[in-house]
Amino acid sequence: MYQKEEIINLWFKMWIYKKDLGMENIFSQNIKYIESYGVKYENLLEVKRWFHEWNKKNTVLSWEIKDFWHKDNKTMVVWHFKCLFEGKVDEFEGNSIIYWNENFKIDFLKEFACKLPQINPYR
């Protein structure tokens, strides 16, 4: 479990640093990565391209992990994300579902987001 959490923490830190610190050590070559917005990347080269293109124009201000759940080759991560996107601050809470291969590399990652602020329609 600890090794998986370290790998996920490294991935989140890469966004803060805007630097690839070894994506090939995190993801399999055939990674399927689905963003919370519905955009899908189908291999490591596409994930790397997205990372570099996104970070040229935008900045992750924080990506804080709140919790992990592990079961067999699956991990769920609960997080809070804040960025400067196209000149505006955006912020949301989210979850990632991750599937690992036998080499502790991520084969599949799908994000889900919940917009902020959250409102109660009855108040």
Side-chain angles (χ1 to χ4, degrees), residues 62-74:
S62 65
W63 200 358
E64 182 182 348
I65 294 172
K66 301 292 187 179
D67 210 349
F68 291 101
W69 283 287
H70 303 282
K71 180 168 172 57
D72 303 325
N73 71 327
K74 299 170 194 71

Side-chain angles (χ1 to χ4, degrees), residues 4 6-8 12 19 26 29 32 39 42 47-48 56 59 61-62 64 83 92-94 96 107 110 117 119:
K4 293 174 181 177
E6 285 297 311
I7 292 168
I8 295 164
F12 284 30
K19 186 173 182 180
I26 293 175
Q29 291 295 316
K32 304 292 185 253
V39 180
E42 297 193 6
V47 171
K48 284 185 171 202
K56 283 180 188 174
T59 300
L61 301 172
S62 65
E64 182 182 348
C83 69
F92 52 92
E93 294 177 337
S96 295
D107 270 338
K110 187 173 187 178
I119 58 169

Side-chain angles (χ1 to χ4, degrees), residues 75-103:
T75 299
M76 187 170 88
V77 186
V78 179
W79 42 262
H80 178 267
F81 182 84
K82 186 174 185 179
C83 69
L84 185 60
F85 182 75
E86 297 180 353
K88 296 178 185 170
V89 174
D90 191 17
E91 180 176 21
F92 52 92
E93 294 177 337
N95 300 332
S96 295
I97 297 174
I98 297 169
Y99 287 65
W100 301 88
N101 69 18
E102 62 280 352
N103 299 317

Side-chain angles (χ1 to χ4, degrees), residues 17-33:
Y17 301 149
K18 294 185 162 203
K19 186 173 182 180
D20 179 350
L21 300 172
M23 282 190 229
E24 62 280 347
N25 297 318
I26 293 175
F27 300 109
S28 71
Q29 291 295 316
N30 298 314
I31 175 69
K32 304 292 185 253
Y33 195 117

Side-chain angles (χ1 to χ4, degrees), residues 8-56:
I8 295 164
N9 272 305
L10 178 60
W11 173 237
F12 284 30
K13 285 177 187 172
M14 286 186 197
W15 288 92
I16 302 294
Y17 301 149
K18 294 185 162 203
K19 186 173 182 180
D20 179 350
L21 300 172
M23 282 190 229
E24 62 280 347
N25 297 318
I26 293 175
F27 300 109
S28 71
Q29 291 295 316
N30 298 314
I31 175 69
K32 304 292 185 253
Y33 195 117
I34 303 167
E35 286 189 89
S36 59
Y37 298 103
V39 180
K40 180 178 176 183
Y41 307 98
E42 297 193 6
N43 59 56
L44 181 56
L45 288 175
E46 290 179 1
V47 171
K48 284 185 171 202
R49 181 177 176 184
W50 159 56
F51 177 85
H52 293 293
E53 288 176 355
W54 194 94
N55 279 295
K56 283 180 188 174

